[in-house]
Amino acid sequence: MRTIVLMAIFLVSTPFFSQSDDEKQLRAIYDKALTNGKAYDWLNHLSNQIGGRLSGSIQAQQAIDYTKKQLDSIGLDRVWLQPVMVPKWVRGTPEFAYIETKPGLTTNVPICALGGSVATPDGGLKANIVEVQGIEDLEKLGKDKIAGKIVFYNRPMDPTKISTFSSYSGCVDQRYSGAAEAGKYGAAGVIVRSVNLRLDDYPHTGSMSYGDTPVSKRIPAAAISTKGAELLSTTLTLNPDIKFYFKQNCKQFDDVQSYNVIGEIKGSTYPNEIMIVGGHLDSWDLGDGSHDDGAGVVQSMDVLRLIKANGYKPKRTLRVVLFMNEENGLRGGNKYAEVAKSKKENHVFALESDAGGFTPRGFSFDCTNENFDQVLGWEKLFEPYLIHMFVKGGSGADIGPLKTDDLVLAGLRPDSQRYFDHHHAENDTFEHVNKRELELGAATMASLVYLFDKYGTITSKKIKG
Ligand SMILES: [Zn+2]
């Protein structure tokens, strides 16, 4: 007993290992983020004072002005707007839909137009329904069974996948290409089950493409809530002759001028090596885009502020990039990469946060094995913060166009279980973001940025010999 007490005293009073500089830096970053973070206040403004920020909207412009002003206020070396032309699509008046079991006997169901869809005819569209589990079913059915009807894509997300992003990838082709494909068989329109694991009443929008379908042959596309999809499917099983009615008056306008917002701290030792951290400033219009991707925007802004506030002077040039138009065009990401290439800028590291403001678990990397091994060497540093997921895989849509063999691309990976409850829907709102979880994400990003800045990437070391 006495020995144990003595040992305990010894353990408490004599540190076996003195804290390394890196441990101290990470501790300081997390402390600062959790006691004096700015991300949540910024998100409050973006979400509650501005709201949904669809490309080309007044709100998107307000978000540009607001974030630029905030970046100006944190004392960076340079803040600027990078011009980019973006598509402008507007939803118009709220969509309306019902299932008609018999003439006059109708049940309303919640729908929303998919982003980029054409409108229905003025009086709406009413037709019989044919249900499919995916694009591959169209060929089996053939023109006979599809022409003149509304195709109802009803493949649900696979609940057995632990990464909900994997189950999202397994369904999203219905939303993205469903209308273009069904149009080839003469369908009159498409209704797509919302890409959401939960059964609820929120329709989830998202981008879609008509591919090379001529304008005159484009058919309207809408998402139906998961509960609506279940009801429609059951009703259809009971009576295959039911009709579906929907009306939407969305419209595509000419491209308009917009901007990426960029802020920079010049590197003290290797100013020509550029590291970027970012998220996308635009969002869908149904909610206020708090998780997608207001969270990533404010976390990225706070990365630079935290690093500055801790008195750390980056050796490499550190940029925050708030990309415009990730949701329906990726114009901002493409423009940033195009300008970087034309200026022959040397990007060595890019990190994106675009998977929600939930509790961070780690990062995924798109990089060489050597660079990935370097990251694995830092795992222990992240352990106290319960950051344990370091995997190879995707990074982020906006930073993707920068990809080269040497660049380290990374994506913050928060817990993904609740993300698709909110994704692209009316309930992607501020109250669903937890302040502490958001701040932990910012600190986790800042920590990785600090480590890559201090040690460089394998490639940047090779360049310097
Ligand atoms: Zn996003």
Side-chain angles (χ1 to χ4, degrees):
M1 173 87 178
R2 207 168 138 190
T3 329
I4 292 169
V5 171
L6 281 173
M7 268 179 68
I9 291 167
F10 177 75
L11 280 171
V12 170
S13 60
T14 319
F16 283 105
F17 307 102
S18 64
Q19 257 197 335
S20 71
D21 268 3
D22 293 340
E23 284 171 317
K24 279 185 204 151
Q25 281 290 349
L26 262 63
R27 185 70 260 176
I29 289 170
Y30 277 88
D31 287 353
K32 188 77 77 189
L34 292 167
T35 55
N36 184 29
K38 282 288 282 177
Y40 196 68
D41 285 347
W42 284 330
L43 187 65
N44 185 12
H45 189 99
L46 274 181
S47 302
N48 292 324
Q49 301 302 317
I50 296 175
R53 304 169 291 280
L54 192 53
S55 288
S57 66
I58 288 169
Q59 290 86 347
Q61 184 57 47
Q62 287 172 337
I64 292 165
D65 297 340
Y66 173 70
T67 49
K68 174 162 188 309
K69 201 170 147 203
Q70 294 308 308
L71 290 176
D72 279 332
S73 76
I74 61 175
L76 304 178
D77 295 327
R78 194 181 156 215
V79 180
W80 72 101
L81 299 182
Q82 181 175 67
V84 54
M85 294 300 286
V86 297
K88 182 179 170 76
W89 176 86
V90 300
R91 185 171 300 283
T93 51
E95 303 83 341
F96 177 65
Y98 58 75
I99 301 168
E100 186 183 83
T101 20
K102 278 185 190 145
L105 192 61
T106 61
T107 310
N108 294 357
V109 282
I111 65 150
C112 66
L114 292 181
S117 174
V118 295
T120 53
D122 282 349
L125 171 67
K126 185 153 70 169
N128 286 112
I129 282 262
V130 55
E131 178 178 340
V132 296
Q133 292 296 302
I135 289 168
E136 54 286 357
D137 286 354
L138 299 176
E139 205 185 333
K140 289 178 226 155
L141 287 166
K143 261 195 174 157
D144 282 2
K145 296 202 171 94
I146 295 174
K149 292 183 184 161
I150 294 169
V151 170
F152 167 39
Y153 290 99
N154 193 29
R155 183 165 79 254
M157 286 175 85
D158 179 353
T160 65
K161 292 201 157 78
I162 302 305
S163 161
T164 59
F165 283 88
S166 304
S167 31
Y168 178 72
S169 315
C171 285
V172 74
D173 62 326
Q174 302 178 111
R175 187 194 80 203
Y176 192 75
S177 311
E181 294 303 319
K184 292 177 189 165
Y185 293 85
V190 302
I191 294 294
V192 185
R193 182 190 181 99
S194 286
V195 195
N196 172 10
L197 276 155
R198 189 169 75 165
L199 283 180
D200 64 25
D201 292 318
Y202 298 109
H204 294 230
T205 192
S207 65
M208 52 93 61
S209 165
Y210 288 108
D212 51 12
T213 314
V215 176
S216 62
K217 292 243 156 70
R218 295 178 180 183
I219 59 172
I224 186 168
S225 71
T226 46
K227 262 167 87 176
E230 293 290 303
L231 178 71
L232 178 56
S233 182
T234 311
T235 315
L236 205 53
T237 311
L238 294 171
N239 179 4
D241 294 329
I242 59 161
K243 294 209 157 122
F244 192 86
Y245 171 88
F246 73 117
K247 186 176 189 312
Q248 57 191 33
N249 60 2
C250 40
K251 197 173 171 188
Q252 189 81 48
F253 289 86
D254 290 339
D255 289 357
V256 297
Q257 184 70 65
S258 191
Y259 303 90
N260 292 327
V261 181
I262 307 175
E264 178 181 280
I265 303 173
K266 251 277 170 280
S268 58
T269 318
Y270 311 116
N272 294 330
E273 286 188 18
I274 298 167
M275 307 184 37
I276 69 166
V277 54
H280 63 88
L281 199 47
D282 66 307
S283 77
W284 283 107
D285 54 333
L286 296 172
D288 61 36
S290 283
H291 276 298
D292 188 12
D293 184 26
V297 162
V298 296
Q299 285 173 327
S300 300
M301 291 165 68
D302 220 19
V303 166
L304 271 71
R305 195 194 61 89
L306 287 168
I307 282 182
K308 252 189 95 72
N310 273 338
Y312 180 77
K313 292 201 179 357
K315 295 198 261 185
R316 295 165 170 82
T317 291
L318 179 55
R319 271 185 200 163
V320 52
V321 185
L322 311 179
F323 297 95
M324 185 47 70
N325 185 232
E326 187 271 348
E327 295 292 3
N328 55 340
L330 207 68
R331 300 278 187 87
N334 285 325
K335 175 59 79 178
Y336 182 82
E338 181 193 311
V339 172
K341 209 173 160 193
S342 74
K343 291 189 169 172
K344 296 196 166 50
E345 288 178 341
N346 177 25
H347 283 70
V348 296
F349 175 72
L351 168 62
E352 180 155 3
S353 167
D354 184 19
F358 299 99
T359 306
R361 301 291 195 210
F363 301 94
S364 64
F365 294 88
D366 185 357
C367 64
T368 62
N369 289 333
E370 289 155 294
N371 277 313
F372 187 60
D373 287 345
Q374 180 186 25
V375 171
L376 294 181
W378 299 330
E379 257 182 312
K380 270 243 166 293
L381 289 168
F382 284 95
E383 251 175 31
Y385 311 100
L386 308 181
I387 303 300
H388 58 268
M389 186 184 155
F390 297 90
V391 293
K392 283 198 84 169
S395 54
D398 297 290
I399 58 175
L402 282 170
K403 189 174 163 67
T404 62
D405 292 344
D406 300 336
L407 175 65
V408 176
L409 293 162
L412 180 72
R413 290 290 162 253
D415 188 290
S416 73
Q417 304 313 317
R418 283 179 288 145
Y419 185 59
F420 291 96
D421 294 356
H422 305 279
H423 186 246
H424 299 177
E426 188 189 313
N427 62 335
D428 180 3
T429 47
F430 184 69
E431 66 269 28
H432 296 292
V433 176
N434 175 282
K435 179 173 185 283
R436 200 170 160 80
E437 292 178 359
L438 182 76
E439 291 167 348
L440 285 169
T444 304
M445 292 165 73
S447 298
L448 186 70
V449 166
Y450 157 76
L451 289 166
F452 267 115
D453 178 67
K454 182 169 171 190
Y455 296 106
T457 60
I458 302 293
T459 324
S460 54
K461 278 179 203 151
K462 266 192 221 154
I463 289 170
K464 284 190 289 289

